[in-house]
Amino acid sequence: MAASASPAASPPRRRHSHRDDESPRRRKRRASPSPPRSPSPGADADRRRRSRASPPDPNRRRDAKPSEEKENGHAKPARDEEGDGRPPRRARVSDGEEDGDRRRRRARVSDDEKEDGRRRRRARDSDEERDDRRGKRDRERDSRRRRRRSPSSESGSSPDDRRRRRHRRDDGSRRRDDRRRRGDDRDERRRSPERREPTPPLPPPPPLLPEMIPGRTGGIYIPPFRMAQMLREVEDKSSPEYQRLTWDALKKSINGLVNKVNATNIKNIVPELFAENLVRGRGLFCQSCIKSQMASPGFTDVFAALVSVVNTKFPEIGRLLLVRVVLQLKRAYKRNDKPQLLAATKFIAHLVNQVVAHELVALELLTVLLENPTDDSVEVAVGFVKECGAMLQDLSPQGLHAIFERFRGILHEGEIDKRVQFLIEGLFAIRKAKFQGFPAIRPELDLVEQEDQFTHEISLEDDLDPETNLNVFRANPNFVEDEKAYENLKRSILGAESSDDEEGSDAASDDEDEEESDEEEDEEQMEIRDRTETNLVNLRRTIYLTIMSSVDFEEAGHKLMKIKLEPGQEMELCIMLLECCSQERTYLRYYGLLGQRFCMINKVYQENFEKCFVQQYSMIHRLETNKLRNVAKFFAHLLGTDALPWHVLAYIRLTEEDTTSSSRIFIKILFQELSEHLGIRLLNERLNDPNMQGSFESIFPKDHPKNTRFSINFFTSIGLGGITESLREYLKNMPRLIMQQQKPESSESESSGSESGSESSGSGSSSESESESSSDESDRKRSKKRRKRT
């Protein structure tokens, strides 16, 4: 025992390992089996406090006593239990090596002290957790032992009791497992060094400055009042930010106007649309029209009418839209996209009806669709012909005939579906009825005069540029100048209405006091007027239903006389009667007798029918051939029955320059009907009446031989050469009349010459003799000419 406790027999020094860092409790359990001395509680606490405060030296030997101290870098010799002061052996080293070892040892000791402090803190924190875990494991081990022992104790019980106990035991173990799992989760959350990072603060709201707005369309919504405020606050009107704001406002305005247009408010939408800068936003306008038409094909004729009005002032916009629609058509045809193809063909058909696109575009499209016929292509072609067949019948009847021949060939081939064959047969029936129910242009959408129309001719095989860059915002260096130029153009288009309104508002602000004083007097004289023409529409509806529901003209006249008409509304009855007559397929004598009855009853209707005659003749080129024939026969009936005075024919001037093909057809039908009513003899007597010659001078002109010959040839060609006998006689005697007109002129000149000669002093007998000789010679020449003629 003494030898084992001596320093010489002490075990060799071990290297520093992770066991040196163990907690004091574990080191205490691994101590020698010899019973330790029982120190006092104070000493134990002091030793525990010192062990926590000073980290252990890893280079110190385990058998070294705590009383050892270092002095001048050398350790004091340790005394053994027997009391001998013999120092321990150590290796011989030089002084330099010893100093280097000492410095390295000090550095290593300082590093190890820091690391030991950190490990000790972690160990101290985890001691309690280890104890808790150890207690849980012990409890689990005990529970398993009890389960293993339980079957032997339950051997004497019944199966039901065993089943109930097993079920109760399973429930208890399940609850304990749940509690243990929850406890482990709490411990893990408490033990986990990671802390939940605080939620980052919300980003600040995006500013409303124009230069910070991302994206193509602005990126964020700006209320209208805020937009107007921003536009007012911008000082530099040529900056890209201001141009971007105006671009967004222009886009919203154009989209809103195009989306809310319909047949009733199109006349109000057009001025608002021209108030926007269509030159800058032409790409936006075309894009909005195409998208709206794709979304609602039922309003295609309305969009086409809007485009036709814009095309009158800006032809490049109409051409751009037509180019984009054609490209959309070609794209849909290649992709076999039937809905898009139907919408594009319908838009092109109504552009042809509005004379924005040339009829050759429609014929070329039909040729492409019917070249290799399929069920879908034939169906699209049938729908296209239904939409614009009435216009093609007037503009290009031969081309439409060729298309129908191709339809007939497809029908005879019989390679398409039965349903499509029925569609073609229905199209032939519609053509036979002259496209009744499929008008080219509705009356409320006929907004453009024939002289103001611009027609664009485009081929499907051309390389077309859609100019898609016009749909995207781009800064304009000449923005201010372009805006001023469009303002001047807008004033020329819309007139001076805006300036007048501004002047009127200024005058109103200046004269507020005077208006306030006169308000009471104006209220007394105020009358309510119907600006919406609701009463007028109802009156026309009543007249139309009365005319159509009557059996004969006498019943219709009796019912119409009961309608209370305000002064000035008699004209509406005449117009409705004429409109109903023109809408019939053939002329009905019913309308002529009804008009005759009203002319005989009241002279006011006679004057109104006279105005209708003048108005219809001035606009005769707008009527179709069928309507023109019915109107001419109606007025011929009124003239033949003397219900209408014949002096209305004075408005007709029958010359080559003053007539058109439509007006010549009207005159032809009018006089042919008069000859059937009166006969050629009575008609000739009426036309040769001396009291009415002033009214017929324009029909039988005598001012120039050319006009006279044209009138004679016209009536001869329509089979009424008998009424031109007097005009032929006049043309035959026209040279004699010309000579007779020249004779009095020469005699007047001679008399004036003789008077001047008698008054003059120098010319006497010589001048008189010369004048007499010249007059005798002229008389002789005239007598010779007369003898030759006889």
Side-chain angles (χ1 to χ4, degrees):
M1 295 292 294
S4 62
S6 63
S10 61
R13 181 185 299 175
R14 290 180 297 176
R15 293 184 181 180
H16 176 71
S17 64
H18 65 88
R19 292 187 178 181
D20 298 335
D21 299 333
E22 292 179 352
S23 62
R25 294 183 181 180
R26 189 166 297 178
R27 197 178 301 122
K28 188 175 180 180
R29 282 197 298 268
R30 294 187 180 184
S32 61
S34 60
R37 289 177 298 176
S38 59
S40 64
D44 190 11
D46 189 22
R47 186 173 61 253
R48 196 179 300 118
R49 193 181 305 111
R50 280 198 308 270
S51 65
R52 290 180 182 178
S54 61
D57 188 3
N59 298 322
R60 185 183 300 172
R61 289 180 301 175
R62 290 186 178 275
D63 55 349
K65 294 183 179 179
S67 61
E68 291 181 353
E69 296 179 358
K70 291 184 179 180
E71 184 178 359
N72 296 328
H74 299 280
K76 290 183 179 182
R79 297 183 179 272
D80 54 1
E81 294 180 355
E82 295 179 355
D84 57 341
R86 191 170 51 190
R89 297 180 181 181
R90 76 185 160 181
R92 295 181 180 180
V93 292
S94 63
D95 295 337
E97 291 178 357
E98 188 176 0
D99 293 338
D101 291 339
R102 191 182 300 114
R103 283 193 296 270
R104 284 192 297 272
R105 195 160 48 248
R106 287 178 181 175
R108 189 164 55 250
V109 166
S110 62
D111 294 338
D112 292 341
E113 286 176 354
K114 294 178 182 179
E115 183 66 24
D116 289 341
R118 285 194 294 270
R119 291 177 180 175
R120 190 176 296 108
R121 282 193 296 271
R122 286 198 297 270
R124 190 168 55 250
D125 295 338
S126 61
D127 282 342
E128 298 177 1
E129 298 172 0
R130 286 198 201 93
D131 294 338
D132 294 340
R133 252 185 262 118
R134 192 177 300 109
K136 291 179 182 178
R137 283 196 297 270
D138 294 338
R139 286 193 295 272
E140 290 174 3
R141 186 168 58 253
D142 295 338
S143 63
R144 283 196 296 270
R145 290 173 184 171
R146 283 195 299 271
R147 289 194 206 102
R148 283 196 296 269
R149 286 197 301 268
S150 59
S152 61
S153 62
E154 295 175 357
S155 59
S157 62
S158 64
D160 295 336
D161 295 338
R162 285 197 300 272
R163 194 180 302 111
R164 280 195 297 270
R165 290 193 189 97
R166 195 181 303 115
H167 181 67
R168 199 178 302 117
R169 188 169 55 251
D170 294 340
D171 291 342
S173 62
R174 194 180 301 112
R175 283 194 295 271
R176 282 194 299 275
D177 293 341
D178 293 340
R179 283 196 299 270
R180 187 168 57 255
R181 194 180 300 109
R182 285 195 295 270
D184 292 343
D185 292 341
R186 269 197 310 273
D187 295 340
E188 287 294 331
R189 285 196 299 270
R190 192 184 305 116
R191 193 168 57 249
S192 60
E194 298 180 358
R195 294 182 179 179
R196 295 181 61 185
E197 297 181 357
T199 57
L202 295 175
L208 290 179
L209 296 178
E211 61 269 11
M212 300 300 292
I213 298 176
R216 293 176 55 190
T217 59
I220 59 175
Y221 171 73
I222 302 177
F225 73 94
R226 179 59 178 156
M227 178 70 74
Q229 182 182 0
M230 292 168 64
L231 290 174
R232 287 193 300 269
E233 291 176 355
V234 175
E235 297 180 356
D236 187 7
K237 302 298 181 181
S238 61
S239 60
E241 293 81 11
Y242 182 79
Q243 295 184 30
R244 180 57 183 263
L245 291 175
T246 55
W247 175 267
D248 293 338
L250 177 65
K251 184 176 182 180
K252 292 179 181 178
S253 179
I254 291 177
N255 287 337
L257 292 173
V258 172
N259 288 334
K260 70 180 180 181
V261 68
N262 52 42
T264 57
N265 66 357
I266 187 171
K267 294 183 180 179
N268 300 325
I269 294 294
V270 167
E272 296 181 16
L273 191 61
F274 280 125
E276 304 295 335
N277 192 346
L278 288 179
V279 175
R280 185 188 183 199
R282 57 187 183 273
L284 299 176
F285 173 75
C286 297
Q287 183 183 22
S288 180
C289 286
I290 293 175
K291 286 186 177 180
S292 301
Q293 190 269 338
M294 279 288 296
S296 56
F299 288 87
T300 305
D301 54 349
V302 179
F303 296 124
L306 184 65
V307 172
S308 68
V309 176
V310 175
N311 185 57
T312 57
K313 304 300 180 182
F314 303 103
E316 64 275 5
I317 296 180
R319 179 178 177 81
L320 177 62
L321 186 133
L322 181 61
V323 166
R324 291 189 178 185
V325 174
V326 170
L327 289 175
Q328 181 185 4
L329 173 82
K330 294 167 68 176
R331 195 181 307 116
Y333 185 76
K334 290 180 180 178
R335 297 176 180 175
N336 293 327
D337 190 352
K338 187 178 178 182
Q340 189 174 5
L341 184 62
L342 286 171
T345 53
K346 192 170 185 179
F347 207 170
I348 291 178
H350 284 283
L351 290 177
V352 171
N353 291 339
Q354 292 286 349
V355 203
V356 176
H358 201 272
E359 62 270 15
L360 292 179
V361 180
L363 297 176
E364 186 178 2
L365 175 59
L366 288 172
T367 305
V368 171
L369 291 174
L370 300 177
E371 183 178 2
N372 297 317
T374 60
D375 293 342
D376 291 337
S377 66
V378 174
E379 184 178 353
V380 172
V382 169
F384 184 79
V385 174
K386 286 181 181 179
E387 296 293 338
C388 64
M391 182 61 69
L392 292 177
Q393 184 68 38
D394 295 338
L395 299 178
S396 179
Q398 295 181 354
L400 186 64
H401 178 71
I403 296 298
F404 272 96
E405 289 298 322
R406 178 57 182 156
F407 274 121
R408 185 176 284 107
I410 294 172
L411 199 60
H412 290 323
E413 291 172 2
E415 297 180 356
I416 57 177
D417 191 21
K418 287 290 184 182
R419 182 182 64 87
V420 184
Q421 293 181 11
F422 290 149
L423 290 178
I424 297 176
E425 293 176 359
L427 182 62
F428 275 98
I430 293 173
R431 182 197 183 191
K432 187 177 181 181
K434 297 183 179 179
F435 294 94
Q436 288 291 333
F438 297 92
I441 304 174
R442 287 191 285 172
E444 59 269 22
L445 297 178
D446 190 7
L447 305 174
V448 182
E449 298 291 338
Q450 189 175 3
E451 296 80 9
D452 300 334
Q453 293 172 344
F454 285 91
T455 306
H456 305 284
E457 184 176 353
I458 295 177
S459 176
L460 298 179
E461 298 179 356
D462 295 341
D463 293 333
L464 304 175
D465 183 14
E467 301 182 27
T468 54
N469 56 341
L470 298 176
N471 302 343
V472 185
F473 166 74
R474 292 190 178 184
N476 184 8
N478 301 325
F479 176 74
V480 179
E481 292 79 4
D482 293 345
E483 289 292 324
K484 291 181 180 179
Y486 188 80
E487 286 293 330
N488 299 330
L489 183 60
K490 180 176 70 175
R491 291 194 191 96
S492 63
I493 293 174
L494 301 178
E497 295 179 1
S498 58
S499 60
D500 293 344
D501 294 339
E502 293 176 359
E503 293 175 359
S505 62
D506 296 337
S509 62
D510 296 337
D511 301 339
E512 285 181 356
D513 298 334
E514 297 179 1
E515 290 180 358
E516 289 177 359
S517 61
D518 298 339
E519 277 182 359
E520 297 179 357
E521 298 178 0
D522 294 340
E523 288 178 358
E524 295 178 357
Q525 301 177 358
M526 186 183 300
E527 295 181 1
I528 299 175
R529 296 182 180 180
D530 184 14
R531 297 289 184 181
T532 60
E533 297 184 353
T534 305
N535 297 335
L536 184 60
V537 172
N538 293 333
L539 175 63
R540 290 181 178 178
R541 184 184 296 111
T542 304
I543 295 172
Y544 174 78
L545 294 176
T546 304
I547 293 173
M548 290 300 175
S549 62
S550 300
V551 179
D552 55 0
F553 74 97
E554 293 180 350
E555 180 185 353
H558 183 68
K559 290 181 180 179
L560 291 173
M561 290 301 296
K562 289 184 178 182
I563 299 176
K564 293 181 180 180
L565 299 177
E566 296 181 1
Q569 289 186 344
E570 294 84 0
M571 188 66 178
E572 299 299 328
L573 192 147
C574 301
I575 292 174
M576 286 303 300
L577 186 60
L578 196 59
E579 287 290 332
C580 294
C581 178
S582 63
Q583 293 295 333
E584 298 291 341
R585 291 189 179 181
T586 58
Y587 171 71
L588 299 179
R589 197 162 175 265
Y590 165 82
Y591 296 101
L593 294 171
L594 189 57
Q596 175 189 352
R597 175 63 61 89
F598 278 100
C599 290
M600 295 298 185
I601 290 174
N602 195 345
K603 194 175 181 180
V604 176
Y605 293 103
Q606 191 178 27
E607 296 175 356
N608 290 328
F609 275 116
E610 183 178 349
K611 294 178 183 178
C612 289
F613 179 85
V614 177
Q615 184 179 3
Q616 290 292 328
Y617 183 75
S618 61
M619 300 172 62
I620 202 69
H621 58 279
R622 296 188 180 182
L623 297 180
E624 301 174 1
T625 306
N626 188 37
K627 292 183 179 181
L628 189 148
R629 181 180 294 107
N630 292 343
V631 171
K633 290 185 178 181
F634 177 81
F635 284 113
H637 180 90
L638 296 183
L639 289 172
T641 56
D642 290 330
L644 200 65
W646 284 60
H647 64 77
V648 296
L649 297 176
Y651 295 105
I652 300 175
R653 180 169 177 78
L654 189 58
T655 60
E656 187 176 0
E657 292 80 10
D658 298 328
T659 56
T660 61
S661 59
S662 300
S663 59
R664 291 169 197 156
I665 295 172
F666 178 81
I667 297 170
K668 166 191 170 183
I669 298 172
L670 180 68
F671 278 91
Q672 285 179 347
E673 287 294 316
L674 285 175
S675 65
E676 291 181 5
H677 276 292
L678 304 176
I680 193 67
R681 183 181 60 80
L682 187 55
L683 178 61
N684 203 2
E685 290 178 1
R686 285 288 186 91
L687 295 176
N688 292 326
D689 188 1
N691 298 326
M692 299 292 294
Q693 290 302 312
S695 301
F696 302 145
E697 286 181 355
S698 57
I699 300 178
F700 305 104
K702 299 179 181 179
D703 54 350
H704 196 276
K706 177 183 176 183
N707 296 336
T708 306
R709 291 192 194 94
F710 180 80
S711 178
I712 294 171
N713 294 335
F714 174 77
F715 284 108
T716 305
S717 63
I718 65 175
L720 297 177
I723 64 175
T724 59
E725 293 297 332
S726 60
L727 199 61
R728 292 173 185 272
E729 188 67 24
Y730 175 79
L731 185 62
K732 187 184 296 185
N733 298 330
M734 188 173 288
R736 185 185 302 171
L737 296 175
I738 293 174
M739 295 299 295
Q740 289 178 1
Q741 290 176 0
Q742 292 178 354
K743 183 177 180 179
E745 293 176 359
S746 62
S747 62
E748 288 176 0
S749 62
E750 290 172 1
S751 62
S752 62
S754 61
E755 289 174 359
S756 62
S758 60
E759 290 175 358
S760 63
S761 60
S763 61
S765 59
S766 61
S767 61
E768 292 176 357
S769 60
E770 289 177 0
S771 62
E772 290 175 358
S773 61
S774 62
S775 61
D776 294 338
E777 289 177 359
S778 63
D779 292 338
R780 289 171 193 159
K781 291 179 181 178
R782 289 172 186 167
S783 60
K784 288 180 182 180
K785 288 179 181 179
R786 288 173 187 171
R787 290 171 189 169
K788 289 178 181 179
R789 288 177 183 173
T790 55

